């Protein structure tokens, strides 16, 4: 995500930091996915983020190791007469999807996907009631819906229908294979550091906060506060656990095991 000229989002921010550590000067530009793939493959763009590696694309540019996994969500407008709860419910709906993406979980299910060049087009058609549902990514989709004033109207099917490992593409005209290996090493250093978990936690809270900033009251309003409380509780609990002697945990293990079995029996009884 690019906002006010600043690079944002987990993948783009991580890639920018890794590139700067390599000595590169980084400037951001936001492009539709179709144009971004075309430009990175022709060398008009040096780096593309949040991209999916395929054998065909790997022949045209260097692709990094995955940085995060994005899940394919089924979004629909609140008020839909028969909102989907399972994949089988999609057979009777007009479902929009993006060109170039595969959804193996939907293959052979009789679901007719209406593919467009970008998430923006599918969301626009959803807002115009030309589609009943859309397949969008869990990372980029909610941000686009918010920017298009659909965030407060959008709801999602409970289960994801696929997952996509996303990374970074580097133009062959600008970088070498050695550069890609160095980039992957820098990313691994970043993602293995304690600050990476802090970044993910902060990013998640900011995402929840932005989802609640709408002109009408929604269920998302105030969710970020509860998430922040749970984050604080988790930090406190982790700090306490780190101070426990593992000998004490070893002594408590039989009792904890017995309590777990008892809870399973209670679950069966209920």
């Amino acid at each position: 995500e690019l906002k006010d000229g600043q690079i944002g989002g987990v993948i783009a921010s991580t890639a920018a930091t890794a590139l700067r550590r390599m000595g590169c000067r980084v400037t951001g530009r936001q492009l539709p996915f179709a144009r971004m793939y075309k430009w990175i493959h022709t060398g008009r763009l040096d780096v593309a983020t949040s991209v999916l590696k395929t054998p065909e694309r790997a022949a045209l540019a260097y692709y990094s190791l995955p940085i995060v996994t994005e899940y394919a969500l089924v979004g629909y407008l609140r008020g839909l007469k028969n909102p989907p709860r399972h994949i089988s419910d999609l057979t009777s709906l007009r479902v929009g999807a993006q060109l170039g993406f595969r959804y193996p979980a939907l293959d052979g299910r009789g679901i007719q996907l209406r593919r467009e060049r970008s998430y923006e087009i599918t969301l626009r058609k959803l807002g115009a009631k030309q589609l009943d549902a859309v397949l969008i990514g869990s990372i980029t989709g909610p941000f686009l819906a918010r920017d298009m004033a659909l965030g407060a109207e959008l709801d999602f099917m409970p289960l994801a229908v696929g997952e996509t490992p996303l990374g970074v593409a580097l133009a062959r005209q600008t970088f070498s294979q050695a550069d890609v290996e160095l980039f992957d090493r820098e990313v691994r250093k970043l993602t293995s550091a304690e600050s990476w978990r802090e970044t993910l936690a902060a990013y998640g809270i900011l995402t929840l906060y932005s989802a609640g900033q709408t002109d009408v009251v929604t269920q998302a309003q105030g969710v970020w506060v509860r998430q922040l409380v749970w984050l604080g509780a988790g930090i406190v609990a982790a700090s306490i656990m780190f101070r426990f002697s593992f000998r004490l945990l070893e002594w408590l293990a039989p009792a904890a095991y017995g309590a777990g079995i008892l809870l399973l029996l209670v679950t069966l009884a209920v």
Side-chain angles (χ1 to χ4, degrees):
E1 184 185 19
L2 189 67
K3 189 172 184 180
D4 299 328
Q6 299 297 314
I7 296 173
V10 174
I11 300 176
S13 297
T14 303
T17 301
L19 288 166
R20 290 189 183 105
R21 289 186 175 186
M22 293 168 59
C24 300
R25 184 172 61 87
V26 180
T27 56
R29 180 170 184 178
Q30 194 160 353
L31 295 170
F33 275 103
R35 191 187 309 170
M36 184 172 67
Y37 277 115
K38 182 178 180 180
W39 284 12
I40 192 67
H41 292 157
T42 58
R44 189 172 176 180
L45 197 65
D46 297 317
V47 180
T49 64
S50 301
V51 292
L52 171 66
K53 178 181 179 180
T54 66
E56 296 78 14
R57 292 171 182 167
L60 300 172
Y62 295 116
Y63 280 77
S64 72
L65 296 174
I67 297 177
V68 299
T69 297
E70 181 173 52
Y71 294 90
L73 305 178
V74 178
Y76 57 90
L77 295 180
R78 291 192 176 116
L80 184 66
K81 186 176 180 181
N82 295 306
R85 290 290 177 264
H86 305 281
I87 290 178
S88 57
D89 297 335
L90 300 176
T91 55
S92 60
L93 300 180
R94 299 169 298 174
V95 183
Q98 186 169 338
L99 285 169
F101 280 65
R102 293 183 63 252
Y103 306 95
L106 306 184
D107 292 346
R109 299 292 191 108
I111 300 169
Q112 298 298 319
L113 299 180
R114 306 187 181 193
R115 294 183 177 272
E116 303 290 350
R117 288 181 288 109
S118 67
Y119 287 147
E120 291 94 332
I121 296 175
T122 57
L123 285 169
R124 196 178 302 123
K125 289 192 174 183
L126 179 69
K129 306 294 179 65
Q130 296 173 3
L131 293 172
D132 300 311
V134 293
L135 292 170
I136 58 175
S138 58
I139 297 175
T140 52
F143 277 107
L144 289 173
R146 180 201 64 189
D147 292 342
M148 298 173 68
L150 287 174
E153 303 176 45
L154 202 62
D155 210 343
F156 296 95
M157 200 170 79
L159 298 176
V161 297
E163 60 182 44
T164 305
L166 297 178
V168 172
L170 296 95
R172 290 180 178 270
Q173 294 83 347
T174 307
F175 297 93
S176 66
Q177 182 61 47
D179 292 327
V180 181
E181 293 170 1
L182 176 58
F183 177 83
D184 284 335
R185 287 198 298 271
E186 291 295 341
V187 169
R188 280 197 295 271
K189 290 178 187 176
L190 289 168
T191 56
S192 61
E194 183 65 30
S195 58
W196 170 254
R197 287 182 284 275
E198 295 171 359
T199 298
L200 291 180
Y203 180 75
I205 290 171
L206 287 173
T207 301
L208 292 174
Y209 174 78
S210 66
Q213 305 309 298
T214 57
D215 295 330
V216 296
V217 178
T218 69
Q219 293 179 341
Q221 197 163 26
V223 171
W224 71 276
V225 177
R226 294 197 295 273
Q227 183 73 4
L228 189 60
V229 170
W230 279 111
L231 176 62
I235 292 173
V236 171
S239 300
I240 293 173
M241 289 302 296
F242 277 129
R243 285 170 171 75
F244 263 97
S245 169
F246 73 92
R247 295 295 183 189
L248 179 60
L249 295 177
E250 185 179 13
W251 178 74
L252 289 173
Y257 182 77
I261 296 296
L262 180 61
L263 288 174
L264 286 173
L265 293 175
V266 170
T267 303
L268 291 174
V270 173

